[in-house]
C-alpha cells in the first residue's frame, strides 16, 4: 500500500536502551548493651556524613527499636561502609554490629 508504514524490518529495530539503576543496600546498625552512645553517634557522623543531630536521632532509634538505617548505597559502597564501621568498633573493642540489607 502506498502510504502504510513499513514494518518489514521491525524485528531489527534496536531495543530502546533502558538504563538500569543498581540495586541499593541499606546499611544498618544493631543495638547492643555495651557500646557507648557517644561512640555510636561519632561513628555515624564519621562514616555516614551525618550532622550531630541526625546521628543522635539514628543512634536513639537503634537504641530503642533494635536497629536503624544509617544510609542507602550501591552494594560495593554499602559493604565498604559496613567494613569500616566494624573495623572501627573492633579497634575500640566495642561489640557494635553493622549489617547490609537489600533496600
Ligand atoms: N544500647 C547502647 C547503650 O545503652 C547504645 C547503642 C546504640 C549501642 C546504638 C549500639 O547501634 C547501637 N549504651
Amino acid at each position: 500500500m502506498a502510504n502504510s508504514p513499513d514494518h518489514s524490518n521491525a524485528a531489527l529495530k534496536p531495543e530502546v536502551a533502558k538504563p538500569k539503576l543498581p540495586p541499593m543496600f541499606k546499611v544498618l546498625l544493631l543495638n547492643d548493651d555495651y557500646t557507648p552512645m557517644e561512640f555510636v553517634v561519632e561513628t555515624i557522623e564519621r562514616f555516614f556524613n551525618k550532622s550531630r543531630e541526625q546521628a543522635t536521632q539514628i543512634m536513639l532509634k537503634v537504641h530503642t527499636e533494635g536497629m536503624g538505617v544509617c544510609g542507602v548505597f550501591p552494594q560495593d559502597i554499602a559493604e565498604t561502609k559496613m567494613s569500616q564501621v566494624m573495623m572501627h568498633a573492633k579497634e575500640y573493642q566495642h561489640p557494635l554490629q553493622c549489617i547490609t540489607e537489600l533496600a
Side-chain angles (χ1 to χ4, degrees):
M1 249 185 281
N3 291 322
S4 61
D6 178 9
H7 291 302
S8 60
N9 66 351
L12 301 177
K13 197 173 143 207
E15 284 294 311
V16 175
K18 284 192 198 125
K20 277 229 178 68
L21 295 170
M24 300 297 276
F25 284 74
K26 295 183 268 190
V27 180
L28 299 125
L29 284 182
L30 306 184
N31 190 33
D32 66 70
D33 291 338
Y34 304 104
T35 307
M37 290 183 174
E38 178 61 22
F39 182 84
V40 178
V41 171
E42 284 171 3
T43 299
I44 297 168
E45 287 181 286
R46 175 165 170 178
F47 294 106
F48 300 96
N49 308 313
K50 301 292 189 190
S51 68
R52 187 88 187 158
E53 292 70 28
Q54 291 171 318
T56 302
Q57 288 307 310
I58 294 168
M59 183 280 295
L60 287 173
K61 185 178 172 69
V62 178
H63 178 67
T64 55
E65 297 179 22
M67 62 172 70
V69 179
C70 295
V72 181
F73 308 95
Q75 186 166 19
D76 54 345
I77 296 174
E79 286 174 357
T80 299
K81 299 229 177 246
M82 176 181 68
S83 302
Q84 289 172 329
V85 169
M86 295 295 285
M87 282 181 350
H88 184 61
K90 194 173 176 191
E91 185 180 345
Y92 287 87
Q93 297 182 303
H94 295 310
L96 181 63
Q97 294 293 310
C98 184
I99 62 170
T100 66
E101 184 180 275
L102 190 60

